[in-house]
Amino acid sequence: MLNTLFDHLSIEQGPWTNVRVLKVVSDKDDGSLLYTHPIDRDEQQPEPADDTIEQQPEPTNAAIEQQNVFQIASAAAKIAAHLPNVHRLYFLGNDAESCCSEFVQHLSAVYGTQLGAFTGNTSALKRVPTQLTQLTKLELGLNGGLDVDKLPSICSETLRHLKLTEVLGNDIWHCFANAGNDMEIDGVLFHNLEKLFVSYKDVPLSEEQGNMFYSSSDQNSRGLRLYFPKLVCLDVEKCPSSSFLLNAEASSALKSFRITDCTGQLELTKHLSKYKDPVDSVVVSTCAPAGDASAFYSATSQLFGGKSCAIFTSLTLCSSPEMLDFNRINWIQLNKLSIFTRVPAVVLIDLISRLPSLNDLALSAVTMEGWDHQKESEVDNENCEPISTTITKVYYNDIFMSGDSSTPEFLKYLLLAIPNIAEFAFSNEYFHEMLKFVQALGHKSHPHLFQIRYDILC
């Protein structure tokens, strides 16, 4: 079944010494169909984007029989013999138990220490017999902790790009080892790491499970210390309260900071407190916490308040801001606000009037409870009192398909009441009514409406 896999690797041609990148793809749920992409590229060239990889010649196909383990090992050995200088290995497949995963396990075991980049799951590396000492880029799916204990030791010194997904617990950090003079450091030093993305597995844990997965009894009370002296980009999703990242030391060179669904763990923002140079972007997606929200107000005020160190700031709220105490909000440097839940119109207007630097506003649905319908007559009379705001872009995508008859009237109100609006995008169902409104008032008394860019959100 595997003979076709080697059609492009004739023995008469000899080893393909110029091939540096090998991409292995499993595109069936049972992992029985394998594609290989040998890519001829000098290792000194910049790493290609994924779409560049896809432009290579059509891959060779082979159906692999699940039961023939010897055949899989033999196939991997033959590939490695004909492509001896591969230093970037990509495995795109989800099933850690598939034969394709087994195939990549044998490949990674052969290439081992010469790998400079690897993308795949933890199971694909469990046969590597020695420490991975040359990796500069590692993108690893942890399958919720599966086979983490079987990973080889990974040298932290050489890494520049690290992406970890489906993380459960802190065990993965113990797989990284210091090198050279860093061996005496109390913790793990990622000396050259510039980009770090960590996404935790979103599963509810009992107290017993939490203690098991996030135990730090073998370290100090805050767990294994992590050091990132050259970190430029930090992106964290669903960070639990017991993550070692919360006690990490990051560099003062951070330029991009993003946290998603980390309500209650906004102490990650402490990494920004010592910066003198501006950060390019700070992007936060969270929910307004219930109960004591002191940490939320403190962290968001640091990120978006008067002492904000960011050039661009963005906040996405996944719960209605009506839960917030506006008197405790200090978001005067916030540039973009997105609200992915229903929000009362009166709350929204009150909130945006408190955000003097806001430029972009994205909404999912607005309810009209408590709305002063006198404002609708102001729209009819074409004489709306301006909202005190600097907003220039408004996006209204009714993902809840509310179909509220008052919504078009509210959109018309925003169109007239936001003084500097330059772009307005809205859901398709409001297109015809908004078009008639703009045409009527644009020709009559508000010619500036024709200067606004309108987009339809499908």
Side-chain angles (χ1 to χ4, degrees):
M1 298 290 288
L2 282 174
N3 290 338
T4 57
L5 184 60
F6 312 115
D7 287 346
H8 62 295
L9 296 175
S10 75
I11 296 177
E12 290 76 13
Q13 288 179 313
W16 287 18
T17 58
N18 289 330
V19 172
R20 309 297 193 204
V21 183
L22 181 61
K23 183 177 179 182
V24 180
V25 183
S26 170
D27 73 346
K28 280 191 176 180
D29 292 338
D30 62 1
S32 64
L33 186 61
L34 175 73
Y35 297 106
T36 60
H37 296 245
I39 301 173
D40 187 355
R41 182 176 290 105
D42 186 273
E43 65 179 312
Q44 299 301 321
Q45 295 297 317
E47 183 174 341
D50 285 345
D51 57 349
T52 303
I53 293 176
E54 295 296 343
Q55 293 168 8
Q56 299 300 318
E58 287 297 316
T60 298
N61 306 342
I64 300 178
E65 295 178 353
Q66 288 273 12
Q67 69 275 14
N68 199 333
V69 176
F70 175 78
Q71 190 180 33
I72 295 173
S74 176
K78 188 170 183 180
I79 284 282
H82 283 77
L83 306 176
N85 294 326
V86 165
H87 81 295
R88 297 184 187 275
L89 180 59
Y90 299 84
F91 173 45
L92 305 184
N94 295 321
D95 187 356
E97 302 300 325
S98 72
C99 54
C100 284
S101 178
E102 182 87 8
F103 176 75
V104 176
Q105 289 173 28
H106 287 283
L107 277 180
S108 59
V110 175
Y111 289 128
T113 57
Q114 76 185 54
L115 285 177
F118 177 81
T119 296
N121 55 43
T122 50
S123 300
L125 289 178
K126 65 183 182 181
R127 293 180 185 270
V128 177
T130 58
Q131 185 183 52
L132 295 170
T133 58
Q134 303 298 320
L135 282 177
T136 60
K137 179 178 180 179
L138 176 61
E139 297 185 344
L140 203 56
L142 272 65
N143 299 313
L146 182 67
D147 288 329
V148 169
D149 59 332
K150 299 176 183 177
L151 281 174
S153 175
I154 303 168
C155 180
S156 61
E157 182 179 22
T158 56
L159 283 169
R160 295 183 180 275
H161 175 117
L162 177 60
K163 180 178 181 179
L164 303 172
T165 58
E166 292 192 90
V167 178
L168 184 61
N170 286 309
D171 288 347
I172 183 60
W173 300 110
H174 292 283
C175 297
F176 297 97
N178 296 323
N181 296 330
D182 300 334
M183 296 291 288
E184 303 301 321
I185 293 177
D186 179 22
V188 181
L189 173 61
F190 293 83
H191 189 72
N192 293 297
L193 193 68
E194 297 176 352
K195 296 181 179 181
L196 175 62
F197 174 88
V198 184
S199 176
Y200 287 84
K201 192 172 180 64
D202 188 16
V203 294
L205 296 177
S206 66
E207 181 177 355
E208 181 180 355
Q209 289 173 319
N211 291 335
M212 177 178 67
F213 283 113
Y214 294 99
S215 173
S216 58
S217 59
D218 59 327
Q219 300 291 331
N220 59 52
S221 60
R222 293 289 289 177
L224 182 69
R225 295 299 298 269
L226 307 174
Y227 301 91
F228 307 103
K230 295 183 180 179
L231 197 64
V232 175
C233 300
L234 175 61
D235 193 334
V236 184
E237 292 183 356
K238 302 179 177 70
C239 182
S241 59
S242 299
S243 169
F244 289 170
L245 282 179
L246 296 181
N247 199 37
E249 294 292 332
S251 76
S252 59
L254 199 64
K255 288 298 181 182
S256 176
F257 181 83
R258 178 190 295 268
I259 56 176
T260 304
D261 295 338
C262 297
T263 303
Q265 281 71 59
L266 287 173
E267 58 258 47
L268 281 166
T269 60
K270 72 187 175 98
H271 296 308
L272 302 176
S273 61
K274 55 192 175 186
Y275 298 158
K276 297 179 181 178
D277 297 329
V279 177
D280 289 343
S281 64
V282 172
V283 179
V284 176
S285 176
T286 187
C287 294
D292 184 10
S294 299
F296 174 85
Y297 293 117
S298 175
T300 55
S301 294
Q302 178 185 331
L303 290 172
F304 311 126
K307 295 182 179 180
S308 174
C309 59
I311 296 173
F312 171 78
T313 56
S314 173
L315 172 64
T316 296
L317 290 175
C318 302
S319 58
S320 177
E322 64 184 317
M323 300 172 60
L324 299 175
D325 180 355
F326 287 177
N327 293 321
R328 299 178 68 183
I329 285 178
N330 177 21
W331 300 346
I332 61 174
Q333 298 296 333
L334 183 63
N335 304 131
K336 181 176 181 178
L337 175 65
S338 303
I339 304 177
F340 288 154
T341 187
R342 291 182 174 89
V343 55
V346 290
V347 173
L348 176 67
I349 300 303
D350 186 13
L351 177 58
I352 63 177
S353 65
R354 297 170 183 262
L355 309 177
S357 299
L358 195 64
N359 184 64
D360 290 25
L361 176 65
L363 304 170
S364 296
V366 173
T367 60
M368 308 309 293
E369 294 90 344
W371 177 249
D372 182 3
H373 291 282
Q374 178 64 30
K375 295 185 183 297
E376 294 182 15
S377 63
E378 291 178 2
V379 173
D380 294 335
N381 295 326
E382 308 164 21
N383 187 27
C384 290
E385 180 180 352
I387 303 172
S388 177
T389 180
T390 56
I391 291 174
T392 62
K393 302 175 184 177
V394 177
Y395 308 89
Y396 188 92
N397 192 6
D398 193 349
I399 61 175
F400 297 101
M401 303 296 290
S402 60
D404 192 322
S405 59
S406 299
T407 298
E409 296 305 315
F410 180 71
L411 296 180
K412 296 173 187 177
Y413 169 75
L414 291 181
L415 196 56
L416 295 181
I418 296 178
N420 301 311
I421 190 168
E423 296 183 21
F424 200 166
F426 41 81
S427 300
N428 183 60
E429 61 263 37
Y430 306 119
F431 171 72
H432 292 294
E433 186 166 353
M434 294 300 294
L435 177 62
K436 289 190 294 184
F437 177 76
V438 170
Q439 288 177 334
L441 267 67
H443 287 297
K444 184 178 178 182
S445 56
H446 291 75
H448 72 282
L449 295 179
F450 290 138
Q451 306 302 316
I452 298 172
R453 173 180 174 176
Y454 300 95
D455 289 315
I456 307 301
L457 303 173
C458 299

